[in-house]
Amino acid sequence: MREVVWETKEFEEKPKNEVWYACFFGVILICLVFALYQANFLFVILIILGGGLVYLFGHRKPINLECVLNESGIAINGSPSKMYEFEGFHLGHHLLALKTKKGLNNYLLVRVPHDKNAEIRDILKAELPEAHYEPGITELFYHWLHH
């Protein structure tokens, strides 16, 4: 059985610059002023909680992932997913997108080293058709938070 093993980070960690902080706190400040002007104290609490969560989430460090791909499926940190759970795949420069048959979360996204692309494509082409992948709004927001 052919198998490809690689380690990757959960996401690419990039330090936040002054512009990111200025925009973030600027939006929070504008929303707080508006909520106070409207005397909507529940909105003030939600802005503070939401802003705090976004701030913490934006500073989260990526965890290391061990990925194992073979003809039967993919295992990430020992958590397996079988090939029959997927409808197709898209393999980009540094990203593997496996299209799932599940409802809301349509893709399993895994970062891949460029030197493993050929091996990964060979295994997946034998099991799944290639699929078109376009990132959704949640992936774009997640990407924005970490850049």
Side-chain angles (χ1 to χ4, degrees):
M1 177 182 285
R2 294 185 309 166
E3 185 173 270
V4 181
V5 179
W6 71 95
E7 283 197 16
T8 187
K9 296 275 188 188
E10 183 181 17
F11 55 86
E12 184 180 353
E13 183 178 18
K14 291 191 176 180
K16 310 291 185 281
N17 60 20
E18 295 81 20
V19 174
W20 189 91
Y21 288 107
C23 290
F24 176 73
F25 288 115
V27 168
I28 295 295
L29 184 62
I30 290 169
C31 289
L32 282 173
V33 168
F34 178 74
L36 289 171
Y37 174 75
Q38 295 289 323
N40 190 341
F41 299 110
L42 180 60
F43 191 39
V44 169
I45 292 170
L46 289 175
I47 291 168
I48 293 169
L49 288 175
L53 288 174
V54 169
Y55 182 81
L56 290 174
F57 187 67
H59 281 78
R60 190 170 65 93
K61 300 291 184 200
I63 60 172
N64 290 325
L65 302 174
E66 182 186 28
C67 304
V68 179
L69 175 73
N70 56 38
E71 287 92 355
S72 65
I74 186 168
I76 301 171
N77 279 357
S79 178
S81 296
K82 300 294 183 190
M83 281 296 180
Y84 62 79
E85 298 175 26
F86 303 109
E87 294 178 357
F89 76 96
H90 173 82
L91 187 58
H93 187 64
H94 288 289
L95 183 71
L96 169 61
L98 292 165
K99 185 170 174 53
T100 67
K101 296 179 181 177
K102 296 178 184 175
L104 293 176
N105 190 10
N106 291 344
Y107 291 94
L108 172 65
L109 303 174
V110 182
R111 296 174 50 79
V112 296
H114 185 66
D115 63 329
K116 302 278 186 180
N117 273 9
E119 295 174 77
I120 291 169
R121 186 178 303 281
D122 288 344
I123 291 174
L124 289 172
K125 271 196 153 190
E127 304 296 325
L128 297 170
E130 289 203 46
H132 177 71
Y133 168 71
E134 223 172 286
I137 189 76
T138 55
E139 286 100 21
L140 292 174
F141 183 69
Y142 182 82
H143 183 72
W144 176 80
L145 277 179
H146 289 94
H147 285 86

